[in-house]
Amino acid sequence: MTTSSALIAVSEQRCFGGKQLRFKHQSAVLHCEMQFSVFLPPQAELHKVPALYWLSGLTCTDENFSSKAGAQRVAAELGLALIMPDTSPRGADVADDPDGAYDFGLGAGFYVNATEAPFAAHYQMYDYILQELPALLQAELPLSAAKAISGHSMGGHGALVIGLRNNAEYRSISAFSPICHPMNCTWGQKALRGYLGDDETKWQQYDAAYLLAKQGSQLPILVDQGLSDNFYPAQLQTDSLVKAAEQAGVAAEIRLQAGYDHSYYFIASFIEQHLRFHARHLGLTSA
Amino acid sequence: MTTSSALIAVSEQRCFGGKQLRFKHQSAVLHCEMQFSVFLPPQAELHKVPALYWLSGLTCTDENFSSKAGAQRVAAELGLALIMPDTSPRGADVADDPDGAYDFGLGAGFYVNATEAPFAAHYQMYDYILQELPALLQAELPLSAAKAISGHSMGGHGALVIGLRNNAEYRSISAFSPICHPMNCTWGQKALRGYLGDDETKWQQYDAAYLLAKQGSQLPILVDQGLSDNFYPAQLQTDSLVKAAEQAGVAAEIRLQAGYDHSYYFIASFIEQHLRFHARHLGLTSA
C-alpha cells in the first residue's frame, strides 16, 4: 500500500490471490478529489504488469465493474491489472445537470474535455483518463507502460473515442453496448451540446463512428452488443460503427448477442473473452 | 416464464447462456410477499437440473449473491440451478428490531422458526427454506429433487443448521465465513434470545457446532473462512466447528484462507470450488 501523498489508500481486499484496491487523490486536471479502484493480479508482486482501463457507464462509480463483472478471476490468471476510474468529477462545487438528470453532469462526464461554463471548470475527463491517471498510476503502482482500454455504454463510447484518437497509447480497444454515434442520439446530443456548445463540428472529435470512418484504426477493436438491450438501437446505434468500419476498411469485430440486455449480467457473460482479446494484444498470451 | 398464480415473474435476464430470474410470491409460512432470485443454467431448457440453495448474510437480499459472486459462469457449465432467497420476511407489518439494528429483524431472520411475539407471526425462515420454497420451485421450475445448500455468514449458519438437521434433504453442505456457534457470540445470542426466548436449551437446535458435535453428519461439508475477516474469530468461531467435527469423527473440510476478508471478493474467489464440490455430490460430475 503506497504512502505517497499523491495517492491515498482507501481500502485493500484480497481477491483471487491479488489485491482489490481503492484510492483517492487530488486531480490536477479535474480540480477535485477523485476515487478510483484498481485490481492488481498476483504477478504484480514480482514484476510490472500491463493495465486495462475500464470506463463505466451513466450513473456508475468505480465500484460497479469491480463488484459485478467478475473480471478479477481472469485478470489474475493473465497477469493483467484493471483500472476502474469514476465517471465524472465529484464534489459539492462540481456543476451538475440543472434538473439532476442521470444522463448529464455528475456520473455522466462522457469522457470529454468540456469547454462550456460552468462545466469546463471540472469536466476534463478525456485528459484525466488519457494523461493524468496513467502517469500517476505508472509512477505509483507496479504497472508497465502497456495499456488497453474498454468500457460499457457511455464508457464504451469513451473507450472507443480515446482509443481511436490515441492509437499509440493503447494496444487494443473493446466495448460493451457502446454509444457509437453520440452526435445522432438524444443522450449524446444533450451531453455534447452541454459540455461543448452548439457548434456540432466540435462534437465530431467525440463521436466514435465519425472518427472510425474518417481515420480508421491501427488498433484491433472488439465490440459486443446485446439484442435485448432497451437502449438498442436508438441510443447505441451499433450499425453506425459497423458502417464506419466498412468505410474505413477496418476489420473491427462487432458482435450482436441474442437475448442479452444492457446489464452487468451481459458484461459478466463476455468479459473473459474481452480480457483474453486484450491479453493477446498486450503480449501476455500468444495470438 | 411461468404464469402460475403462485409465482409472479419480476425480471428475466440472459446470463452465461442461461436465465437470471427474479420472482415474487405470497409465502404461506411467512405470511407476507417475498422475492427471490433463481439462475437457471442452459441445461434446464432440456431437462430438470439440481439446485444449490444459497443463504445470504445480514443486511442482504436475494440480489447480493446474484450480482456479486460470479457464480453463474460455473453453474452454467455444470448444469446447476442457483436459488437465492431473501434473508427475512418483508413488509410494513413485519416486526423489526426496535432500534432498527442491522443484526436482528428485517434482513436478519437467522433462518429460525421464531416462537416469541411479535416475531413468531412472520419469522419462520427455517420452514420457508427447508419446505415451502423447494416444494414451490420443484412444482413451478425445471428442477429435480436433488438439492445442496450453502451460504455466507448468517447464511452460512443457516446452511449448516438446515443441512445438518436434514441430511436426507440435501447432498452436500458448504459455507463461507459461517456463524458456527451462535449460542456463544453476540450476534447469535441477540438473535436467538429475540426469536426463541431466554431458554438457552431451545437455542441448541440452531447452533451448528452444537449439532455437529452431538449428531455428526452423513453429508460432506466444506467451509472457507478468511483470516483477515473483521468478524473472525469473535462472531464466527470457526474453531468450534473444527472441534465439533473432531468430536463427532466427521471429515469436514474447514479451510482458513490467509488474507481474505468477509466480503463478496472472498466469496467470488472461492465460489467455483464450492460449486464443483456440490456438483460432485449432486452427481453432475465424477468424484
Side-chain angles (χ1 to χ4, degrees):
Chain A
M1 190 71 67
T2 178
T3 55
S4 156
S5 60
L7 212 56
I8 299 166
V10 174
S11 64
E12 173 176 335
Q13 299 176 270
R14 188 148 292 272
C15 183
F16 287 99
K19 293 176 183 176
Q20 182 66 44
L21 304 160
R22 200 171 195 205
F23 296 100
K24 59 183 178 181
H25 74 119
Q26 190 65 32
S27 167
V29 305
L30 302 178
H31 299 102
C32 63
E33 185 177 272
M34 293 293 286
Q35 291 202 348
F36 60 88
S37 290
V38 173
F39 175 72
L40 288 181
Q43 295 85 342
E45 302 283 343
L46 304 174
H47 55 76
K48 292 185 176 188
V49 296
L52 176 67
Y53 282 72
W54 173 270
L55 306 186
S56 281
L58 290 167
T59 77
C60 288
T61 71
D62 59 306
E63 291 197 299
N64 298 67
F65 185 78
S66 64
S67 65
K68 295 185 175 180
Q72 293 93 344
R73 179 182 60 88
V74 180
E77 176 204 317
L78 293 168
L80 177 62
L82 305 173
I83 313 297
M84 295 154 275
D86 204 346
T87 54
S88 76
R90 299 283 181 178
D93 65 335
V94 174
D96 194 7
D97 183 277
D99 302 317
Y102 76 97
D103 57 1
F104 186 74
L106 296 175
F110 271 84
Y111 306 103
V112 304
N113 288 335
T115 54
E116 294 296 294
F119 302 102
H122 296 285
Y123 286 80
Q124 304 292 323
M125 289 295 290
Y126 181 90
D127 282 350
Y128 180 67
I129 300 297
L130 175 67
Q131 296 173 352
E132 185 181 22
L133 203 52
L136 176 68
L137 296 186
Q138 285 168 227
E140 301 274 356
L141 297 176
L143 300 179
S144 71
K147 299 193 299 290
I149 193 162
S150 185
H152 174 234
S153 195
M154 175 184 75
H157 142 77
L160 287 165
V161 164
I162 294 173
L164 287 169
R165 286 175 58 183
N166 301 279
N167 271 198
E169 292 296 319
Y170 302 93
R171 304 286 181 86
S172 44
I173 306 169
S174 82
F176 289 83
S177 330
I179 303 171
C180 296
H181 195 18
M183 294 176 67
N184 199 39
C185 72
T186 56
W187 275 347
Q189 288 165 350
K190 177 178 177 179
L192 296 172
R193 180 168 284 110
Y195 293 129
L196 305 175
D198 291 332
D199 179 356
E200 298 188 12
T201 62
K202 294 186 179 168
W203 302 3
Q204 295 167 352
Q205 62 186 314
Y206 296 112
D207 189 291
Y210 176 88
L211 292 167
L212 184 59
K214 186 181 172 204
Q215 67 182 48
S217 176
Q218 303 302 312
L219 296 182
I221 298 172
L222 171 63
V223 173
D224 273 311
Q225 173 60 53
L227 289 176
S228 295
D229 183 329
N230 287 338
F231 303 111
Y232 175 84
Q235 299 287 6
L236 307 175
Q237 302 187 22
T238 320
D239 290 2
S240 69
L241 201 67
V242 172
K243 284 178 195 159
E246 286 170 0
Q247 192 175 327
V250 170
E253 187 171 10
I254 302 172
R255 311 187 298 193
L256 302 177
Q257 303 284 4
Y260 288 90
D261 68 8
H262 202 69
S263 75
Y264 266 88
Y265 291 122
F266 172 46
I267 297 171
S269 298
F270 294 97
I271 191 66
E272 177 167 359
Q273 293 178 25
H274 283 238
L275 296 187
R276 293 194 188 284
F277 162 81
H278 291 295
R280 285 195 302 277
H281 296 292
L282 289 162
L284 289 170
T285 56
S286 52
Chain B
M1 190 70 69
T2 180
T3 56
S4 155
S5 60
L7 213 56
I8 300 166
V10 175
S11 63
E12 173 176 335
Q13 298 176 270
R14 188 149 292 272
C15 182
F16 286 99
K19 292 177 183 174
Q20 182 66 42
L21 304 160
R22 201 173 193 205
F23 296 102
K24 60 183 177 179
H25 74 119
Q26 189 65 32
S27 166
V29 305
L30 302 177
H31 299 103
C32 63
E33 185 177 274
M34 293 292 287
Q35 291 202 347
F36 60 89
S37 290
V38 173
F39 175 71
L40 288 181
Q43 295 86 342
E45 302 283 344
L46 304 173
H47 56 75
K48 292 186 175 187
V49 296
L52 176 66
Y53 283 70
W54 173 270
L55 307 185
S56 281
L58 290 167
T59 77
C60 289
T61 70
D62 58 306
E63 292 197 298
N64 299 67
F65 184 78
S66 65
S67 64
K68 294 185 177 182
Q72 293 93 343
R73 178 183 61 87
V74 181
E77 176 203 318
L78 293 168
L80 176 63
L82 305 173
I83 313 296
M84 296 153 273
D86 205 346
T87 54
S88 76
R90 299 283 181 179
D93 65 336
V94 174
D96 193 7
D97 183 277
D99 302 317
Y102 75 98
D103 58 0
F104 186 74
L106 296 175
F110 270 85
Y111 306 103
V112 304
N113 288 335
T115 54
E116 295 296 294
F119 302 101
H122 296 285
Y123 285 80
Q124 304 292 324
M125 289 295 290
Y126 181 90
D127 283 350
Y128 179 69
I129 301 297
L130 176 65
Q131 296 173 353
E132 186 181 23
L133 204 51
L136 177 68
L137 296 185
Q138 285 169 226
E140 302 272 356
L141 297 176
L143 300 179
S144 71
K147 301 192 298 290
I149 192 162
S150 185
H152 174 233
S153 195
M154 175 183 75
H157 141 78
L160 287 166
V161 165
I162 293 173
L164 287 170
R165 286 176 58 182
N166 302 280
N167 271 198
E169 293 296 319
Y170 302 93
R171 304 286 182 87
S172 45
I173 306 169
S174 81
F176 289 83
S177 331
I179 304 172
C180 297
H181 195 15
M183 295 176 67
N184 199 40
C185 73
T186 55
W187 275 348
Q189 289 165 350
K190 177 179 178 180
L192 296 172
R193 179 168 283 110
Y195 293 129
L196 305 175
D198 291 333
D199 180 356
E200 297 186 15
T201 62
K202 295 184 179 169
W203 302 2
Q204 294 166 354
Q205 63 187 313
Y206 297 112
D207 188 290
Y210 177 88
L211 292 167
L212 184 59
K214 186 182 172 203
Q215 68 182 47
S217 175
Q218 302 301 312
L219 296 183
I221 298 171
L222 172 62
V223 173
D224 273 312
Q225 173 60 53
L227 289 176
S228 294
D229 183 330
N230 286 339
F231 303 113
Y232 174 85
Q235 299 286 6
L236 307 175
Q237 301 187 21
T238 320
D239 290 1
S240 69
L241 201 67
V242 173
K243 285 178 192 157
E246 288 171 357
Q247 191 176 328
V250 170
E253 188 171 9
I254 302 171
R255 311 187 298 194
L256 302 177
Q257 303 285 4
Y260 288 90
D261 68 9
H262 201 69
S263 75
Y264 266 87
Y265 291 122
F266 172 45
I267 297 171
S269 298
F270 294 97
I271 192 66
E272 177 166 358
Q273 294 180 24
H274 283 238
L275 296 187
R276 295 195 186 282
F277 162 80
H278 291 296
R280 286 196 301 277
H281 297 292
L282 289 162
L284 289 170
T285 55
S286 53

